Amino acid sequence: MAWVAEHNLAAAVSNAGGLGIIAAGTAPADMVRDEIRKAKALTDKPFGVNIMLLADNCDEVAKIVCEEGVQVVTTGAGNPQKYMEMWKEHGIFVAPVVPAVSLAKRMEKYGADAVIVEGCEAGGHIGEVTTMALVPQVVDAVNIPVIAAGGIADGRGIAAVSMLGADAMQVGTRFLVAHECVVHDDYKEKVLKAKDRDAVVSGRSTGHPVRSLKNKLTRDFAKLEKNGADSEAIEKLGAGALRLAVVEGDVNNGSLMAGQIAGLVSKRQSCEDIIVEMFTQAEELMK
Ligand code: TUI
C-alpha cells in the first residue's frame, strides 16, 4: 500500500494490537528512513516495512531496514531471495508475499519466517489464484506460519482463512478508510461506495496486473490493452497514478487501488475500532 501505508497508519495499527506496516513502494530511500523514524516516535510496539521489489532502489531500502533496527520485513512483487541472508543476520522477521505454492516453498527453503499468501481478490499488484484456493495449498506445502491476505475485511474473513489453516491474516482495503489513514477523502468515498464488481484488474498484458476501482484510468487501460499497445505505453499511463489518487484525490485519472472486498467496507472507523470489531466477530463465530 505505497503512499497509503505511511507512519501514521502503521503506528496506529500497531498501537491497536495489530502489526502495522510501512509500505516503502517507490519512495526515495531517505524518505523510507524518515518514515521508520516517525513511526518509532508514535509507537513503542513492533511494526514492519514492506519492500516493493520492482522499485529501482530496493537494494538501498533493504539495507536501511537493517540499519534502522526494523523488526519485521514483508516483500511484494518479486522474489527477495538475495536479501534474506542479510535480513536474517540482523534478526529481522521476514515474511514475503507469495502468489503461488512454488515461491512459498522456495521462501521457506531460504529462511523466511512466514509467508503472506495473497489471493487475487486483493488490491494493487496481484497474482492469479484466489485466497480460497491458494491458502490451503500453501498450508499443505510449507511448515512455516501462513498469513492469509486478499478479501479479508471482517470477522467472517478471519474465521474463513483460519478454517483454511492460516495462522494470521493481513488486511489492506478496510484500513483505507480508517481515520488514521492519510488517503485523500475523495478516494475514501470511492471505497465506501464501491460495490462487489467495482475492483477490476488492469495491465494483465504487461505481466504486472493491478487491481483498482473502476474509473477513467481503468477504462483508458482497457482501451490501450484492447488495441494491443506495448507494455511501455501501458506502464507509462500507470506511473504516478497511485500518488495522484492518494495525495491529490484525483479519482478519475488516479489509481484507486483496492481489493474486491471494498464492497463490504461501508464505514469510517479508527484502526482500534476496526481491529476490535473484526476480532470480536471472529471470536463469536469460532466459539
Ligand atoms: O506487491 C503487492 N502489491 C502492490 S505493489 C504495487 S506497485 C506496482 N505498481 C504497478 C505495477 C506493479 C507494482 C501495488 N500493489 N502485493 C504483494 C504481491 N506480491 N502480490 C503479488 C506479489 C508477487 C508477485 C510475483 C510476489 C512475488 C512474485 O514473484 C515472481 C517471481 O519472481 O517469482
Short mmCIF file of all heavy atoms in Angstrom, two decimals, residues 175-220:
data_model
loop_
_atom_site.label_atom_id
_atom_site.label_comp_id
_atom_site.label_asym_id
_atom_site.label_seq_id
_atom_site.Cartn_x
_atom_site.Cartn_y
_atom_site.Cartn_z
N PHE A 175 -8.55 -0.78 5.89
CA PHE A 175 -7.81 0.30 6.54
C PHE A 175 -7.68 1.55 5.66
O PHE A 175 -7.24 2.60 6.13
CB PHE A 175 -6.43 -0.18 7.00
CG PHE A 175 -6.51 -1.07 8.22
CD1 PHE A 175 -6.31 -2.43 8.11
CD2 PHE A 175 -6.80 -0.53 9.46
CE1 PHE A 175 -6.39 -3.25 9.23
CE2 PHE A 175 -6.89 -1.33 10.59
CZ PHE A 175 -6.69 -2.70 10.48
N LEU A 176 -8.06 1.42 4.38
CA LEU A 176 -8.03 2.60 3.50
C LEU A 176 -8.92 3.72 4.05
O LEU A 176 -8.65 4.89 3.84
CB LEU A 176 -8.54 2.24 2.10
CG LEU A 176 -7.59 1.51 1.15
CD1 LEU A 176 -8.34 1.09 -0.11
CD2 LEU A 176 -6.42 2.40 0.78
N VAL A 177 -10.02 3.32 4.73
CA VAL A 177 -10.97 4.33 5.21
C VAL A 177 -10.82 4.60 6.72
O VAL A 177 -11.68 5.25 7.31
CB VAL A 177 -12.43 3.94 4.87
CG1 VAL A 177 -12.63 3.85 3.37
CG2 VAL A 177 -12.84 2.63 5.53
N ALA A 178 -9.74 4.10 7.29
CA ALA A 178 -9.51 4.35 8.73
C ALA A 178 -9.26 5.85 8.96
O ALA A 178 -8.72 6.53 8.09
CB ALA A 178 -8.30 3.55 9.20
N HIS A 179 -9.67 6.32 10.14
CA HIS A 179 -9.45 7.75 10.45
C HIS A 179 -7.97 8.11 10.33
O HIS A 179 -7.62 9.20 9.90
CB HIS A 179 -9.90 8.06 11.89
CG HIS A 179 -11.37 7.88 12.12
ND1 HIS A 179 -12.32 8.26 11.20
CD2 HIS A 179 -12.05 7.37 13.18
CE1 HIS A 179 -13.52 7.99 11.67
NE2 HIS A 179 -13.39 7.43 12.87
N GLU A 180 -7.10 7.18 10.73
CA GLU A 180 -5.66 7.48 10.77
C GLU A 180 -5.01 7.35 9.40
O GLU A 180 -3.81 7.63 9.27
CB GLU A 180 -4.95 6.55 11.75
CG GLU A 180 -5.40 6.70 13.20
CD GLU A 180 -6.55 5.75 13.56
OE1 GLU A 180 -7.25 5.29 12.63
OE2 GLU A 180 -6.72 5.48 14.76
N CYS A 181 -5.78 6.92 8.41
CA CYS A 181 -5.20 6.71 7.07
C CYS A 181 -5.21 8.04 6.30
O CYS A 181 -6.25 8.70 6.21
CB CYS A 181 -6.02 5.65 6.32
SG CYS A 181 -5.44 5.38 4.66
N VAL A 182 -4.07 8.40 5.73
CA VAL A 182 -3.92 9.73 5.11
C VAL A 182 -4.46 9.83 3.68
O VAL A 182 -4.36 10.89 3.06
CB VAL A 182 -2.43 10.17 5.09
CG1 VAL A 182 -1.89 10.34 6.49
CG2 VAL A 182 -1.58 9.17 4.29
N VAL A 183 -5.02 8.74 3.18
CA VAL A 183 -5.59 8.76 1.83
C VAL A 183 -6.59 9.92 1.66
O VAL A 183 -7.36 10.21 2.58
CB VAL A 183 -6.29 7.40 1.57
CG1 VAL A 183 -7.32 7.49 0.48
CG2 VAL A 183 -5.26 6.34 1.24
N HIS A 184 -6.57 10.55 0.50
CA HIS A 184 -7.47 11.68 0.22
C HIS A 184 -8.93 11.26 0.44
O HIS A 184 -9.32 10.14 0.13
CB HIS A 184 -7.27 12.12 -1.23
CG HIS A 184 -7.87 13.45 -1.54
ND1 HIS A 184 -9.22 13.64 -1.71
CD2 HIS A 184 -7.30 14.67 -1.68
CE1 HIS A 184 -9.46 14.92 -1.97
NE2 HIS A 184 -8.30 15.56 -1.95
N ASP A 185 -9.71 12.20 0.95
CA ASP A 185 -11.10 11.90 1.28
C ASP A 185 -11.93 11.42 0.08
O ASP A 185 -12.81 10.57 0.23
CB ASP A 185 -11.74 13.15 1.88
CG ASP A 185 -12.80 12.75 2.86
OD1 ASP A 185 -12.45 12.03 3.82
OD2 ASP A 185 -13.97 13.10 2.65
N ASP A 186 -11.63 11.94 -1.10
CA ASP A 186 -12.41 11.53 -2.29
C ASP A 186 -12.15 10.06 -2.64
O ASP A 186 -13.04 9.36 -3.13
CB ASP A 186 -12.07 12.43 -3.49
CG ASP A 186 -12.52 13.87 -3.26
OD1 ASP A 186 -13.16 14.13 -2.22
OD2 ASP A 186 -12.23 14.73 -4.11
N TYR A 187 -10.91 9.60 -2.40
CA TYR A 187 -10.55 8.18 -2.60
C TYR A 187 -11.33 7.34 -1.59
O TYR A 187 -11.95 6.33 -1.92
CB TYR A 187 -9.04 8.06 -2.40
CG TYR A 187 -8.32 6.76 -2.70
CD1 TYR A 187 -6.95 6.77 -2.96
CD2 TYR A 187 -8.95 5.52 -2.71
CE1 TYR A 187 -6.23 5.60 -3.22
CE2 TYR A 187 -8.25 4.34 -2.96
CZ TYR A 187 -6.89 4.39 -3.21
OH TYR A 187 -6.19 3.24 -3.45
N LYS A 188 -11.33 7.80 -0.32
CA LYS A 188 -12.06 7.07 0.72
C LYS A 188 -13.55 6.92 0.35
O LYS A 188 -14.13 5.86 0.50
CB LYS A 188 -11.93 7.78 2.08
CG LYS A 188 -10.55 7.70 2.68
CD LYS A 188 -10.52 8.27 4.10
CE LYS A 188 -9.13 8.11 4.71
NZ LYS A 188 -9.02 8.61 6.08
N GLU A 189 -14.14 8.00 -0.17
CA GLU A 189 -15.56 7.95 -0.55
C GLU A 189 -15.79 6.90 -1.64
O GLU A 189 -16.81 6.22 -1.64
CB GLU A 189 -16.03 9.33 -1.04
CG GLU A 189 -16.43 10.27 0.08
CD GLU A 189 -17.54 9.72 0.98
OE1 GLU A 189 -18.58 9.29 0.45
OE2 GLU A 189 -17.36 9.71 2.22
N LYS A 190 -14.85 6.79 -2.58
CA LYS A 190 -14.97 5.79 -3.66
C LYS A 190 -14.95 4.38 -3.07
O LYS A 190 -15.68 3.50 -3.53
CB LYS A 190 -13.83 5.96 -4.68
CG LYS A 190 -14.00 7.16 -5.57
CD LYS A 190 -15.05 6.88 -6.63
CE LYS A 190 -15.27 8.08 -7.53
NZ LYS A 190 -16.41 7.93 -8.43
N VAL A 191 -14.10 4.17 -2.07
CA VAL A 191 -14.03 2.84 -1.43
C VAL A 191 -15.35 2.56 -0.72
O VAL A 191 -15.93 1.47 -0.85
CB VAL A 191 -12.84 2.76 -0.45
CG1 VAL A 191 -12.86 1.45 0.32
CG2 VAL A 191 -11.52 2.95 -1.19
N LEU A 192 -15.84 3.56 0.02
CA LEU A 192 -17.08 3.37 0.79
C LEU A 192 -18.28 3.09 -0.12
O LEU A 192 -19.20 2.38 0.26
CB LEU A 192 -17.35 4.61 1.65
CG LEU A 192 -16.35 4.81 2.79
CD1 LEU A 192 -16.45 6.22 3.38
CD2 LEU A 192 -16.57 3.77 3.90
N LYS A 193 -18.24 3.64 -1.34
CA LYS A 193 -19.38 3.47 -2.26
C LYS A 193 -19.21 2.27 -3.19
O LYS A 193 -20.12 1.92 -3.94
CB LYS A 193 -19.54 4.74 -3.11
CG LYS A 193 -20.00 5.93 -2.29
CD LYS A 193 -20.63 7.00 -3.18
CE LYS A 193 -21.18 8.14 -2.34
NZ LYS A 193 -20.36 9.35 -2.40
N ALA A 194 -18.04 1.64 -3.16
CA ALA A 194 -17.76 0.55 -4.12
C ALA A 194 -18.71 -0.63 -3.92
O ALA A 194 -19.12 -0.94 -2.80
CB ALA A 194 -16.31 0.09 -3.94
N LYS A 195 -19.03 -1.27 -5.03
CA LYS A 195 -19.85 -2.49 -4.98
C LYS A 195 -19.00 -3.70 -5.37
O LYS A 195 -17.83 -3.55 -5.73
CB LYS A 195 -21.05 -2.32 -5.91
CG LYS A 195 -21.97 -1.17 -5.49
CD LYS A 195 -23.38 -1.38 -5.93
CE LYS A 195 -23.80 -0.61 -7.15
NZ LYS A 195 -23.49 0.80 -7.18
N ASP A 196 -19.59 -4.87 -5.31
CA ASP A 196 -18.83 -6.13 -5.47
C ASP A 196 -17.97 -6.21 -6.73
O ASP A 196 -16.88 -6.78 -6.70
CB ASP A 196 -19.77 -7.34 -5.38
CG ASP A 196 -20.97 -7.26 -6.31
OD1 ASP A 196 -21.17 -6.19 -6.92
OD2 ASP A 196 -21.70 -8.27 -6.43
N ARG A 197 -18.45 -5.65 -7.86
CA ARG A 197 -17.70 -5.84 -9.11
C ARG A 197 -16.87 -4.62 -9.52
O ARG A 197 -16.43 -4.53 -10.66
CB ARG A 197 -18.67 -6.21 -10.24
CG ARG A 197 -19.33 -7.57 -10.01
CD ARG A 197 -20.04 -8.05 -11.25
NE ARG A 197 -21.08 -7.11 -11.66
CZ ARG A 197 -21.72 -7.15 -12.82
NH1 ARG A 197 -21.43 -8.07 -13.70
NH2 ARG A 197 -22.66 -6.28 -13.11
N ASP A 198 -16.71 -3.69 -8.57
CA ASP A 198 -16.05 -2.43 -8.94
C ASP A 198 -14.52 -2.48 -8.95
O ASP A 198 -13.88 -1.60 -9.52
CB ASP A 198 -16.50 -1.30 -8.01
CG ASP A 198 -17.93 -0.86 -8.34
OD1 ASP A 198 -18.40 -1.20 -9.43
OD2 ASP A 198 -18.56 -0.21 -7.49
N ALA A 199 -13.93 -3.48 -8.30
CA ALA A 199 -12.46 -3.54 -8.24
C ALA A 199 -11.96 -4.43 -9.38
O ALA A 199 -12.06 -5.65 -9.31
CB ALA A 199 -12.00 -4.07 -6.89
N VAL A 200 -11.47 -3.81 -10.42
CA VAL A 200 -11.14 -4.54 -11.66
C VAL A 200 -9.61 -4.61 -11.86
O VAL A 200 -8.86 -3.87 -11.25
CB VAL A 200 -11.80 -3.86 -12.89
CG1 VAL A 200 -13.32 -3.89 -12.75
CG2 VAL A 200 -11.32 -2.42 -13.05
N VAL A 201 -9.21 -5.51 -12.75
CA VAL A 201 -7.77 -5.72 -12.99
C VAL A 201 -7.34 -5.03 -14.29
O VAL A 201 -7.97 -5.21 -15.32
CB VAL A 201 -7.44 -7.22 -13.06
CG1 VAL A 201 -5.94 -7.43 -13.28
CG2 VAL A 201 -7.88 -7.92 -11.78
N SER A 202 -6.28 -4.28 -14.21
CA SER A 202 -5.67 -3.64 -15.39
C SER A 202 -4.25 -4.16 -15.56
O SER A 202 -3.63 -4.58 -14.58
CB SER A 202 -5.59 -2.12 -15.23
OG SER A 202 -6.83 -1.58 -14.88
N GLY A 203 -3.76 -4.09 -16.77
CA GLY A 203 -2.34 -4.36 -17.01
C GLY A 203 -1.95 -5.83 -17.05
O GLY A 203 -0.77 -6.14 -16.91
N ARG A 204 -2.92 -6.72 -17.28
CA ARG A 204 -2.55 -8.15 -17.38
C ARG A 204 -1.52 -8.37 -18.48
O ARG A 204 -0.61 -9.17 -18.34
CB ARG A 204 -3.79 -9.00 -17.69
CG ARG A 204 -4.65 -9.29 -16.49
CD ARG A 204 -5.58 -10.48 -16.77
NE ARG A 204 -6.75 -10.47 -15.92
CZ ARG A 204 -6.79 -10.91 -14.67
NH1 ARG A 204 -5.70 -11.40 -14.12
NH2 ARG A 204 -7.90 -10.85 -13.97
N SER A 205 -1.67 -7.60 -19.58
CA SER A 205 -0.79 -7.81 -20.74
C SER A 205 0.66 -7.41 -20.45
O SER A 205 1.58 -7.83 -21.16
CB SER A 205 -1.32 -7.04 -21.95
OG SER A 205 -1.29 -5.66 -21.66
N THR A 206 0.88 -6.62 -19.40
CA THR A 206 2.26 -6.18 -19.10
C THR A 206 2.96 -7.19 -18.19
O THR A 206 4.17 -7.07 -17.94
CB THR A 206 2.28 -4.83 -18.35
OG1 THR A 206 1.70 -5.03 -17.05
CG2 THR A 206 1.51 -3.76 -19.09
N GLY A 207 2.20 -8.15 -17.64
CA GLY A 207 2.78 -9.07 -16.66
C GLY A 207 2.75 -8.52 -15.25
O GLY A 207 3.22 -9.15 -14.32
N HIS A 208 2.21 -7.31 -15.09
CA HIS A 208 2.09 -6.70 -13.76
C HIS A 208 0.65 -6.27 -13.53
O HIS A 208 0.34 -5.06 -13.50
CB HIS A 208 3.01 -5.48 -13.61
CG HIS A 208 4.46 -5.81 -13.71
ND1 HIS A 208 5.36 -5.06 -14.42
CD2 HIS A 208 5.18 -6.83 -13.18
CE1 HIS A 208 6.57 -5.59 -14.33
NE2 HIS A 208 6.48 -6.68 -13.58
N PRO A 209 -0.25 -7.24 -13.37
CA PRO A 209 -1.66 -6.87 -13.19
C PRO A 209 -1.90 -6.15 -11.87
O PRO A 209 -1.29 -6.51 -10.85
CB PRO A 209 -2.38 -8.22 -13.20
CG PRO A 209 -1.34 -9.23 -12.88
CD PRO A 209 -0.03 -8.68 -13.32
N VAL A 210 -2.75 -5.13 -11.92
CA VAL A 210 -3.04 -4.31 -10.74
C VAL A 210 -4.55 -4.19 -10.58
O VAL A 210 -5.25 -3.88 -11.54
CB VAL A 210 -2.40 -2.90 -10.91
CG1 VAL A 210 -2.92 -1.94 -9.84
CG2 VAL A 210 -0.88 -2.99 -10.83
N ARG A 211 -5.05 -4.44 -9.36
CA ARG A 211 -6.49 -4.30 -9.12
C ARG A 211 -6.79 -2.94 -8.50
O ARG A 211 -6.19 -2.56 -7.49
CB ARG A 211 -6.99 -5.42 -8.19
CG ARG A 211 -8.52 -5.41 -8.07
CD ARG A 211 -9.05 -6.49 -7.14
NE ARG A 211 -8.84 -7.85 -7.60
CZ ARG A 211 -9.49 -8.44 -8.61
NH1 ARG A 211 -10.43 -7.77 -9.26
NH2 ARG A 211 -9.21 -9.68 -8.95
N SER A 212 -7.74 -2.24 -9.13
CA SER A 212 -8.14 -0.92 -8.61
C SER A 212 -9.60 -0.67 -8.96
O SER A 212 -10.18 -1.39 -9.78
CB SER A 212 -7.25 0.17 -9.21
OG SER A 212 -7.38 0.18 -10.61
N LEU A 213 -10.19 0.35 -8.33
CA LEU A 213 -11.60 0.64 -8.57
C LEU A 213 -11.78 1.25 -9.95
O LEU A 213 -10.99 2.08 -10.39
CB LEU A 213 -12.13 1.59 -7.49
CG LEU A 213 -12.09 1.06 -6.05
CD1 LEU A 213 -12.63 2.11 -5.08
CD2 LEU A 213 -12.87 -0.25 -5.91
N LYS A 214 -12.86 0.82 -10.62
CA LYS A 214 -13.19 1.29 -11.96
C LYS A 214 -13.25 2.81 -12.01
O LYS A 214 -13.92 3.43 -11.17
CB LYS A 214 -14.62 0.81 -12.31
CG LYS A 214 -14.72 -0.48 -13.04
CD LYS A 214 -16.19 -0.67 -13.43
CE LYS A 214 -16.53 -2.13 -13.52
NZ LYS A 214 -17.97 -2.38 -13.50
N ASN A 215 -12.60 3.40 -12.98
CA ASN A 215 -12.71 4.84 -13.21
C ASN A 215 -12.17 5.14 -14.61
O ASN A 215 -11.95 4.21 -15.41
CB ASN A 215 -11.95 5.64 -12.12
CG ASN A 215 -10.45 5.37 -12.11
OD1 ASN A 215 -9.95 4.54 -12.87
ND2 ASN A 215 -9.74 6.07 -11.26
N LYS A 216 -11.92 6.41 -14.91
CA LYS A 216 -11.44 6.76 -16.25
C LYS A 216 -10.11 6.05 -16.53
O LYS A 216 -9.87 5.56 -17.63
CB LYS A 216 -11.28 8.28 -16.36
CG LYS A 216 -10.74 8.72 -17.71
CD LYS A 216 -10.70 10.22 -17.87
CE LYS A 216 -10.12 10.61 -19.22
NZ LYS A 216 -8.73 10.16 -19.40
N LEU A 217 -9.24 5.99 -15.50
CA LEU A 217 -7.93 5.36 -15.69
C LEU A 217 -8.08 3.88 -16.09
O LEU A 217 -7.41 3.43 -17.03
CB LEU A 217 -7.09 5.47 -14.41
CG LEU A 217 -5.71 4.80 -14.49
CD1 LEU A 217 -4.76 5.57 -15.41
CD2 LEU A 217 -5.08 4.65 -13.11
N THR A 218 -8.94 3.15 -15.41
CA THR A 218 -9.08 1.71 -15.75
C THR A 218 -9.69 1.56 -17.15
O THR A 218 -9.36 0.63 -17.87
CB THR A 218 -9.91 0.92 -14.70
OG1 THR A 218 -11.24 1.41 -14.67
CG2 THR A 218 -9.29 1.00 -13.32
N ARG A 219 -10.58 2.50 -17.53
CA ARG A 219 -11.14 2.44 -18.89
C ARG A 219 -10.07 2.75 -19.93
O ARG A 219 -9.98 2.11 -20.98
CB ARG A 219 -12.34 3.40 -19.03
CG ARG A 219 -13.59 2.90 -18.30
CD ARG A 219 -14.83 3.72 -18.67
NE ARG A 219 -14.76 5.09 -18.16
CZ ARG A 219 -15.09 5.47 -16.92
NH1 ARG A 219 -15.53 4.59 -16.05
NH2 ARG A 219 -15.00 6.73 -16.56
N ASP A 220 -9.19 3.72 -19.62
CA ASP A 220 -8.08 4.05 -20.54
C ASP A 220 -7.12 2.86 -20.66
O ASP A 220 -6.65 2.55 -21.76
CB ASP A 220 -7.31 5.29 -20.04
CG ASP A 220 -8.12 6.57 -20.20
OD1 ASP A 220 -9.15 6.53 -20.92
OD2 ASP A 220 -7.74 7.59 -19.60
#
